Amino acid sequence: MTAEELKSGYIFLLDKPLDWTSFQAVNKMKYKLKREFDLPKKFKIGHAGTLDPRATGLLIVCCGKFTKKIPEIQDAPKEYWTEIKIGVQTESYDTEKPEILQQDIAHITEEQVKEALEKFVGEIEQKPPVYSAIKIDGERAYNLARAGEEVEMKSRKTTIHYINDITIDFPLISFTVGCSKGTYIRSLAHDIGQELGVGAYLTQLRRTKIGDYKIEDATDQFLSNDFRFLANEK
């Protein structure tokens, strides 16, 4: 790898760790690359699709001229391994906020769960979580929510291509979901809970695919403090 190759265009597949923001991961990469390859101050780098801090998995980072590929990659279908907990909710729809509104799930059967999941396959309407990066009047929704302000999220159309590999171990349900750009899996978890009538929230989320890019080809080593890129001098 050389500085010229990076400026001409390069794609890194990161396995984003838990509790890192996508911005932090890209910033770490940018710092390392600029330091080790003596890249210009305005070296272009960006990610192709945000992952929430409480999610792990595939984060695609584009460098140099390949930053032009970001919109194309972002538009590609996504796949996630998902775990939800039913019978309880959180304000953030994930583990960022504490559990609230506990309900009895003794009457819920595996068949009911599978029927509920099936209803979400296809084009659906969903509201993004209040704790999301969507901008409202120029401000991130999560900043407004954390400041205690009332936030009204508008519903939008999205597509769930498939839900499979379902495992049920009450109160936990896990499955693989394939979806279109702009799908909020936290909202999907919440809506599944509403469909079952007992509430639910997202406990684990791992992005496994974006288009033809797979998590099996990703690494978290680029983010390690002791990892060094090997700069090949021409």
Side-chain angles (χ1 to χ4, degrees), residues 198-225:
V198 294
Y201 74 95
L202 186 68
T203 51
Q204 293 189 68
L205 183 66
R206 183 164 177 77
R207 186 155 63 194
T208 51
K209 286 178 69 176
I210 301 177
D212 293 328
Y213 298 101
K214 299 179 181 179
I215 189 61
E216 289 83 3
D217 299 319
T219 179
D220 63 359
Q221 290 302 302
F222 297 139
L223 304 178
S224 171
N225 287 329

Side-chain angles (χ1 to χ4, degrees), residues 1 6 10-14 29 33 59-61 63 222 229:
M1 187 189 303
L6 288 167
Y10 212 92
I11 290 178
F12 292 96
L13 304 184
L14 300 188
M29 288 283 296
L33 291 169
L59 184 70
I60 298 177
V61 177
C63 299
F222 297 139
F229 292 92

